[in-house]
Coordinates of all heavy atoms in Angstrom, one line a residue:
G140 N 123.8 203.4 103.8 CA 125.2 203.2 103.5 C 125.7 204.1 102.4 O 126.8 204.6 102.4
Y141 N 124.9 204.2 101.3 CA 125.3 205.0 100.2 C 125.5 206.4 100.6 O 126.5 207.1 100.3 CB 124.2 205.0 99.1 CG 124.1 203.6 98.4 CD1 122.9 203.3 97.7 CD2 125.1 202.7 98.3 CE1 122.7 202.1 97.1 CE2 124.9 201.5 97.7 CZ 123.7 201.2 97.1 OH 123.5 200.0 96.5
L142 N 124.6 207.0 101.4 CA 124.7 208.4 101.8 C 125.8 208.5 102.8 O 126.6 209.5 102.8 CB 123.4 208.8 102.5 CG 122.2 209.1 101.6 CD1 121.1 209.8 102.3 CD2 122.6 210.0 100.4
N143 N 126.0 207.6 103.7 CA 127.1 207.7 104.7 C 128.5 207.5 104.0 O 129.5 208.1 104.5 CB 126.9 206.6 105.8 CG 125.7 206.9 106.7 OD1 125.3 208.0 106.8 ND2 125.2 205.8 107.3
N144 N 128.6 206.7 103.0 CA 129.9 206.4 102.4 C 130.3 207.2 101.2 O 131.4 207.6 101.0 CB 130.0 204.9 102.1 CG 129.9 204.0 103.3 OD1 130.3 204.4 104.4 ND2 129.5 202.7 103.1
T145 N 129.3 207.4 100.3 CA 129.6 207.9 99.0 C 130.2 209.3 99.0 O 131.0 209.7 98.1 CB 128.4 207.8 98.1 OG1 127.9 206.5 98.0 CG2 128.7 208.3 96.7
F146 N 129.8 210.1 100.0 CA 130.3 211.5 100.0 C 131.4 211.7 101.0 O 131.7 212.9 101.3 CB 129.0 212.4 100.3 CG 128.0 212.2 99.2 CD1 126.8 211.5 99.5 CD2 128.2 212.7 97.9 CE1 125.8 211.4 98.5 CE2 127.3 212.5 96.9 CZ 126.1 211.9 97.2
K147 N 132.0 210.6 101.5 CA 133.1 210.8 102.5 C 134.4 210.6 101.8 O 135.5 210.7 102.5 CB 132.9 209.9 103.7 CG 133.2 208.5 103.5 CD 133.1 207.7 104.8 CE 133.5 206.2 104.6 NZ 133.3 205.4 105.8
F148 N 134.4 210.3 100.5 CA 135.7 210.1 99.8 C 135.5 210.5 98.3 O 134.4 210.7 97.9 CB 136.2 208.7 99.9 CG 135.4 207.7 99.0 CD1 135.9 207.3 97.8 CD2 134.1 207.3 99.4 CE1 135.2 206.5 96.9 CE2 133.4 206.4 98.6 CZ 133.9 206.0 97.3
K149 N 136.6 210.7 97.7 CA 136.6 211.0 96.2 C 137.7 210.1 95.6 O 138.7 209.9 96.1 CB 136.9 212.4 95.9 CG 135.8 213.4 96.2 CD 136.2 214.8 95.7 CE 135.1 215.8 96.0 NZ 135.4 217.1 95.5
L150 N 137.3 209.6 94.4 CA 138.3 208.8 93.6 C 139.3 209.8 93.0 O 139.0 210.9 92.6 CB 137.6 208.0 92.5 CG 136.7 206.9 92.9 CD1 136.0 206.3 91.7 CD2 137.4 205.8 93.7
T151 N 140.5 209.4 92.8 CA 141.5 210.2 92.1 C 141.3 210.2 90.6 O 140.6 209.2 90.1 CB 143.0 209.8 92.4 OG1 143.2 208.5 91.8 CG2 143.2 209.6 93.9
P152 N 141.7 211.2 89.9 CA 141.6 211.1 88.4 C 142.2 209.9 87.8 O 141.6 209.3 86.9 CB 142.3 212.4 88.0 CG 142.2 213.3 89.1 CD 142.3 212.5 90.3
E153 N 143.3 209.4 88.4 CA 143.9 208.2 87.9 C 143.0 206.9 88.1 O 142.9 206.1 87.3 CB 145.3 208.0 88.6 CG 146.3 209.0 88.2 CD 146.1 210.3 88.9 OE1 145.4 210.4 90.0 OE2 146.7 211.4 88.5
E154 N 142.4 206.9 89.3 CA 141.5 205.8 89.6 C 140.2 205.8 88.7 O 139.8 204.7 88.2 CB 141.1 205.8 91.1 CG 142.2 205.5 92.0 CD 141.9 205.9 93.4 OE1 141.0 206.6 93.7 OE2 142.7 205.4 94.3
I155 N 139.7 207.0 88.4 CA 138.6 207.1 87.5 C 139.0 206.6 86.1 O 138.2 205.8 85.5 CB 138.1 208.6 87.4 CG1 137.5 209.0 88.8 CG2 137.0 208.7 86.4 CD1 137.4 210.5 88.9
Q156 N 140.1 207.0 85.7 CA 140.6 206.7 84.4 C 140.9 205.2 84.2 O 140.5 204.5 83.2 CB 141.9 207.4 84.0 CG 142.4 207.2 82.6 CD 141.5 207.6 81.5 OE1 140.7 208.5 81.7 NE2 141.6 207.0 80.3
K157 N 141.4 204.6 85.3 CA 141.7 203.1 85.3 C 140.4 202.3 85.2 O 140.3 201.4 84.4 CB 142.5 202.7 86.5 CG 143.0 201.3 86.5 CD 143.9 200.9 87.6 CE 144.4 199.5 87.5 NZ 145.3 199.1 88.6
I158 N 139.4 202.7 85.9 CA 138.1 202.0 85.8 C 137.5 202.2 84.4 O 137.0 201.2 83.8 CB 137.1 202.6 86.9 CG1 137.5 202.2 88.3 CG2 135.7 202.0 86.6 CD1 136.7 202.9 89.4
S159 N 137.7 203.4 83.9 CA 137.1 203.6 82.5 C 137.8 202.7 81.5 O 137.2 202.1 80.6 CB 137.3 205.1 82.1 OG 136.6 205.9 83.0
E160 N 139.2 202.7 81.6 CA 139.9 201.9 80.6 C 139.6 200.4 80.7 O 139.5 199.7 79.7 CB 141.4 202.2 80.8 CG 141.9 203.5 80.3 CD 141.5 203.9 78.9 OE1 141.7 203.0 78.0 OE2 141.0 205.0 78.6
L161 N 139.6 199.9 81.9 CA 139.3 198.5 82.1 C 137.8 198.2 81.7 O 137.6 197.1 81.1 CB 139.4 198.1 83.6 CG 140.8 198.1 84.2 CD1 140.8 198.0 85.7 CD2 141.6 196.9 83.6
G162 N 136.9 199.1 81.9 CA 135.5 198.9 81.5 C 135.4 198.8 80.0 O 134.5 198.1 79.5
K163 N 136.3 199.4 79.2 CA 136.2 199.3 77.8 C 136.5 197.9 77.2 O 136.2 197.6 76.0 CB 137.1 200.3 77.1 CG 136.7 201.8 77.4 CD 137.7 202.8 76.8 CE 137.3 204.2 77.2 NZ 138.3 205.2 76.8
Q164 N 137.0 197.0 78.1 CA 137.3 195.7 77.7 C 136.0 194.8 77.6 O 136.1 193.6 77.1 CB 138.3 195.0 78.6 CG 139.6 195.7 78.7 CD 140.5 195.2 79.7 OE1 140.3 194.0 80.2 NE2 141.6 195.9 80.1
K165 N 134.9 195.3 78.1 CA 133.7 194.5 78.1 C 132.5 195.4 77.7 O 132.5 196.6 78.0 CB 133.4 193.9 79.5 CG 132.1 193.0 79.5 CD 132.1 192.3 80.9 CE 130.8 191.4 80.9 NZ 130.8 190.5 82.0
H166 N 131.5 194.8 77.0 CA 130.3 195.6 76.7 C 129.1 194.9 77.3 O 128.9 193.7 77.2 CB 130.1 195.7 75.2 CG 128.9 196.4 74.8 ND1 128.8 197.8 74.8 CD2 127.7 196.0 74.4 CE1 127.6 198.2 74.4 NE2 126.9 197.1 74.1
Y167 N 128.3 195.7 78.0 CA 127.0 195.2 78.6 C 126.0 196.3 78.6 O 126.3 197.4 78.9 CB 127.2 194.7 80.0 CG 125.9 194.3 80.7 CD1 125.3 193.1 80.5 CD2 125.2 195.3 81.4 CE1 124.1 192.8 81.1 CE2 124.0 195.0 82.0 CZ 123.4 193.7 81.8 OH 122.2 193.5 82.4
H168 N 124.8 196.0 78.1 CA 123.7 196.9 78.3 C 122.5 196.2 78.7 O 122.2 195.1 78.3 CB 123.5 197.8 77.0 CG 122.9 197.1 75.9 ND1 121.6 196.9 75.7 CD2 123.5 196.5 74.8 CE1 121.3 196.2 74.6 NE2 122.5 195.9 74.0
G169 N 121.7 196.9 79.5 CA 120.4 196.3 80.0 C 119.3 196.4 78.9 O 119.6 196.6 77.7
L170 N 118.1 196.2 79.4 CA 117.0 196.0 78.4 C 116.1 197.2 78.2 O 115.1 197.1 77.6 CB 116.2 194.8 78.9 CG 116.9 193.4 79.0 CD1 116.0 192.4 79.5 CD2 117.4 193.0 77.6
A171 N 116.5 198.3 78.8 CA 115.6 199.5 78.8 C 115.2 199.9 77.3 O 114.1 200.1 77.1 CB 116.3 200.7 79.5
V172 N 116.2 200.0 76.5 CA 115.9 200.5 75.1 C 115.1 199.4 74.4 O 114.1 199.7 73.6 CB 117.2 200.8 74.3 CG1 116.9 201.0 72.8 CG2 117.9 202.0 74.9
E173 N 115.4 198.1 74.6 CA 114.7 197.1 73.9 C 113.2 197.0 74.4 O 112.3 196.8 73.6 CB 115.4 195.7 74.2 CG 116.6 195.5 73.4 CD 117.9 196.1 74.1 OE1 117.7 196.9 75.1 OE2 119.0 195.9 73.6
F174 N 113.1 197.3 75.7 CA 111.7 197.3 76.3 C 110.9 198.4 75.6 O 109.8 198.2 75.2 CB 111.8 197.5 77.8 CG 110.4 197.7 78.4 CD1 109.6 196.6 78.8 CD2 110.0 199.0 78.6 CE1 108.4 196.9 79.4 CE2 108.7 199.2 79.2 CZ 107.9 198.2 79.6
M175 N 111.5 199.6 75.6 CA 110.7 200.8 75.1 C 110.5 200.6 73.6 O 109.4 201.0 73.1 CB 111.5 202.1 75.3 CG 111.8 202.4 76.8 SD 110.2 202.7 77.7 CE 109.8 204.4 77.1
T176 N 111.4 200.0 72.9 CA 111.2 199.7 71.4 C 110.0 198.7 71.3 O 109.1 198.9 70.4 CB 112.5 199.1 70.8 OG1 113.5 200.1 70.8 CG2 112.2 198.6 69.4
R177 N 110.0 197.7 72.0 CA 108.9 196.6 71.9 C 107.6 197.2 72.2 O 106.6 196.9 71.5 CB 109.2 195.5 72.9 CG 108.2 194.4 72.9 CD 108.6 193.3 73.9 NE 107.5 192.3 74.0 CZ 107.5 191.4 75.0 NH1 108.5 191.3 75.8 NH2 106.5 190.5 75.0
F178 N 107.4 198.0 73.2 CA 106.1 198.5 73.6 C 105.7 199.8 72.9 O 104.5 200.1 72.9 CB 106.1 198.7 75.1 CG 105.9 197.4 75.9 CD1 107.0 196.6 76.3 CD2 104.7 196.8 76.1 CE1 106.9 195.4 76.9 CE2 104.5 195.6 76.8 CZ 105.6 194.9 77.2
Y179 N 106.6 200.6 72.5 CA 106.3 201.9 72.0 C 106.8 202.2 70.5 O 106.5 203.2 70.0 CB 106.8 203.0 72.9 CG 106.2 202.9 74.3 CD1 107.0 202.5 75.3 CD2 104.9 203.2 74.6 CE1 106.5 202.3 76.6 CE2 104.4 203.1 75.9 CZ 105.2 202.7 76.9 OH 104.7 202.5 78.2
G180 N 107.5 201.2 69.9 CA 108.0 201.4 68.6 C 109.3 202.1 68.5 O 109.7 202.8 69.5
N181 N 110.0 202.0 67.4 CA 111.3 202.6 67.2 C 111.5 202.9 65.7 O 111.7 202.0 64.9 CB 112.4 201.7 67.7 CG 113.7 202.3 67.7 OD1 114.0 203.2 66.9 ND2 114.6 201.9 68.6

C-alpha cells in the first residue's frame, strides 16, 4: 500500500506547512535516545 499510494500524489506546500504548524502544538519523542544512553552511555 505504501508503494502503491505514496508516490501517486504530492502534498501542496500549504498542506505541508499546515501539518508542520499543527505539529508544533504537541511534543512527543520515542525512546531511541534514552535506550542508547542507558546501554552505551552519554
Side-chain angles (χ1 to χ4, degrees):
Y141 293 156
L142 285 190
N143 291 336
N144 292 336
T145 304
F146 301 107
K147 74 178 185 182
F148 75 101
K149 287 187 177 182
L150 297 174
T151 68
E153 293 77 19
E154 289 165 347
I155 295 166
Q156 183 64 24
K157 187 172 182 181
I158 292 171
S159 300
E160 289 304 317
L161 288 169
K163 292 174 184 176
Q164 298 175 18
K165 180 171 180 169
H166 179 79
Y167 171 86
H168 69 86
L170 299 175
V172 169
E173 286 82 353
F174 172 86
M175 298 298 283
T176 293
R177 177 182 173 189
F178 282 91
Y179 301 107
N181 186 331

